[in-house]
Amino acid sequence: MLDGKTILVTGGTGSFGNAFTRYVLENHDPKKIIIYSRDEYKQFVMRNNFKEYDDKIRYFIGDVRDEERLKRALNGVDYIIHAAALKQVPACEYNPMEAVKTNIDGAMNVVNAALDRGVEKVVALSTDKAVNPVNLYGGTKLVSDKLFVAANAYRGQSGTTFSVVRYGNVAGSRGSVIPFFHKLIQDGATELPITDFRMTRFWISLNEGIQLVVKALGEAKGGETFISKIPSFKVVDLATAMAPNLKQVEVGIREGEKLHECMVPAADSLTTYEYEKNFIIYPHMEWCNLEDAVMPGGKKVESGFVYDSGINTEWLSVDDLRMLVSEMDIKY
């Protein structure tokens, strides 16, 4: 499926882009991977890390806010993985229009450019924060998701298929709780701050996120939202696993923060199907015929079903978390 293909990754110098690029190059034979991003220094670092693949990777300075630049970059591209976004909740709250320009206008630019250039498949990365959003980041990603799903209604003769993959913070990714705790511990902290002792999160690794994207590339017919079935953990258990002797202090939930991560809201249960390793939310749109759209092997979830980290059926213990963290290459 990926062999002989030209793949463009927006925001390609991030954690996902680096891991996805290495996975594809080590396991497939693509014609070319184009890293499309706006930070020339990160491209310089990535180029040095992928020297052995110089003949397979192209680095394209550009911003998803610039539709004309996107169109130039998409000449001959088969697949787009859209990972570019402003993701930091406080930054988005303080700079709302910047978040709108990147996360919403940028998404629309990707849609338009993909249609105009006849791209075969587009997979957009979403977030749990797009479900019942309580912060601006989540609000912009909800709109982005809607744009990618709706794009399938007017793809016309281009044949481009658009789909979405949704997961929460990748375990160990920059800005997430594991490197935050790790740095405090390394700096000699005497206690670990927990925003709320009841807080839970889903656990997904970078590799699992990549596999979900590959699955969407292979299976999507247009408009689906793919969600992995993954375990939950309690943040207090993670703190215990990382520093069993440190005191834990409850400091209060930050603005825009949720107690639990939700991937499938009750409102989407009408068109959500469960598979062995994932859920798929099919579009609830007049142009989508569920009988034709639903992949074989799926079972429709009950009305009102919610996939939430606080009521999950699979949990990681303190020992599980300790082992998983010990295997990580933690970056700040």
Side-chain angles (χ1 to χ4, degrees):
M1 179 184 65
L2 299 176
D3 292 352
K5 299 294 186 179
T6 297
I7 307 162
L8 181 139
V9 186
T10 70
T13 56
S15 298
F16 173 85
N18 273 270
F20 177 79
T21 299
R22 188 162 296 282
Y23 167 81
V24 173
L25 291 170
E26 290 181 352
N27 295 278
H28 300 275
D29 185 25
K31 180 179 180 181
K32 180 168 55 178
I33 296 179
I34 300 172
I35 303 301
Y36 184 91
S37 68
R38 61 185 185 178
D39 190 324
E40 74 275 19
Y41 177 69
K42 288 182 181 177
Q43 288 196 5
F44 168 76
V45 172
M46 188 171 181
R47 186 189 296 271
N48 285 335
N49 290 335
F50 285 85
K51 283 182 178 179
E52 70 272 35
Y53 296 111
D54 271 349
D55 60 327
K56 290 284 188 178
I57 308 178
R58 301 291 180 269
Y59 298 90
F60 213 106
I61 298 291
D63 196 315
V64 292
R65 299 182 184 189
D66 187 341
E67 185 177 340
E68 290 305 312
R69 185 65 170 164
L70 266 172
K71 287 180 180 178
R72 176 74 66 181
L74 287 176
N75 279 327
V77 168
D78 300 297
Y79 301 155
I80 298 173
I81 311 301
H82 178 52
L86 291 184
K87 302 180 178 73
Q88 292 294 325
V89 170
C92 290
E93 294 294 319
Y94 190 71
N95 305 279
M97 283 311 301
E98 298 307 303
V100 169
K101 289 174 185 176
T102 296
N103 297 352
I104 296 178
D105 295 346
M108 197 67 240
N109 288 338
V110 171
V111 168
N112 288 333
L115 290 171
D116 290 349
R117 287 290 183 258
V119 172
E120 187 179 339
K121 298 179 181 181
V122 179
V123 177
L125 273 58
S126 182
T127 169
D128 65 285
K129 295 173 182 65
V131 178
N132 303 325
V134 298
N135 54 56
L136 188 78
Y137 169 53
T140 59
K141 290 300 286 184
L142 170 63
V143 176
S144 173
D145 290 358
K146 295 289 187 182
L147 290 173
F148 282 107
V149 171
N152 292 278
Y154 54 89
R155 61 192 182 192
Q157 297 301 312
S158 79
T160 308
T161 61
F162 299 86
S163 61
V164 175
V165 299
R166 178 182 294 157
Y167 45 79
N169 287 331
V170 172
S173 60
R174 290 184 179 92
S176 62
V177 66
I178 292 174
F180 174 67
F181 282 170
H182 189 265
K183 189 170 192 314
L184 287 175
I185 295 165
Q186 293 299 307
D187 290 345
T190 57
E191 59 187 31
L192 292 182
I194 312 290
T195 53
D196 192 295
F197 287 158
R198 300 167 294 170
M199 188 168 287
T200 66
R201 290 292 182 262
F202 284 110
W203 181 283
I204 187 167
S205 67
L206 257 180
N207 183 61
E208 288 171 318
I210 290 166
Q211 293 305 317
L212 189 63
V213 169
V214 172
K215 186 177 185 66
L217 279 173
E219 297 182 1
K221 299 176 183 177
E224 303 93 337
T225 299
F226 291 79
I227 297 136
S228 289
K229 294 168 75 171
I230 46 181
S232 293
F233 67 93
K234 297 177 182 178
V235 175
V236 291
D237 286 347
L238 175 65
T240 301
M242 295 183 68
N245 298 320
L246 288 189
K247 179 182 178 182
Q248 298 173 12
V249 180
E250 193 172 42
V251 296
I253 289 182
R254 298 171 296 176
E255 59 184 37
E257 193 172 32
K258 294 181 179 180
L259 270 180
H260 311 291
E261 289 181 337
C262 182
M263 300 292 186
V264 180
D268 283 335
S269 63
L270 296 174
T271 55
T272 298
Y273 283 71
E274 180 178 2
Y275 296 83
E276 181 183 1
K277 296 183 178 180
N278 64 282
F279 297 96
I280 298 178
I281 303 173
Y282 293 95
H284 193 192
M285 310 282 279
E286 61 180 1
W287 50 264
C288 178
N289 183 337
L290 276 182
E291 290 185 3
D292 296 331
V294 173
M295 291 285 298
K299 178 184 177 183
K300 190 178 181 304
V301 301
E302 295 182 0
S303 177
F305 170 82
V306 173
Y307 188 48
D308 182 287
S309 65
I311 54 174
N312 199 2
T313 56
E314 184 182 358
W315 290 82
L316 295 172
S317 67
V318 171
D319 288 340
D320 293 331
L321 291 164
R322 184 178 295 115
M323 181 186 67
L324 288 167
V325 171
S326 70
E327 296 171 348
M328 300 176 84
D329 178 19
I330 300 173
K331 293 182 172 61
Y332 303 119

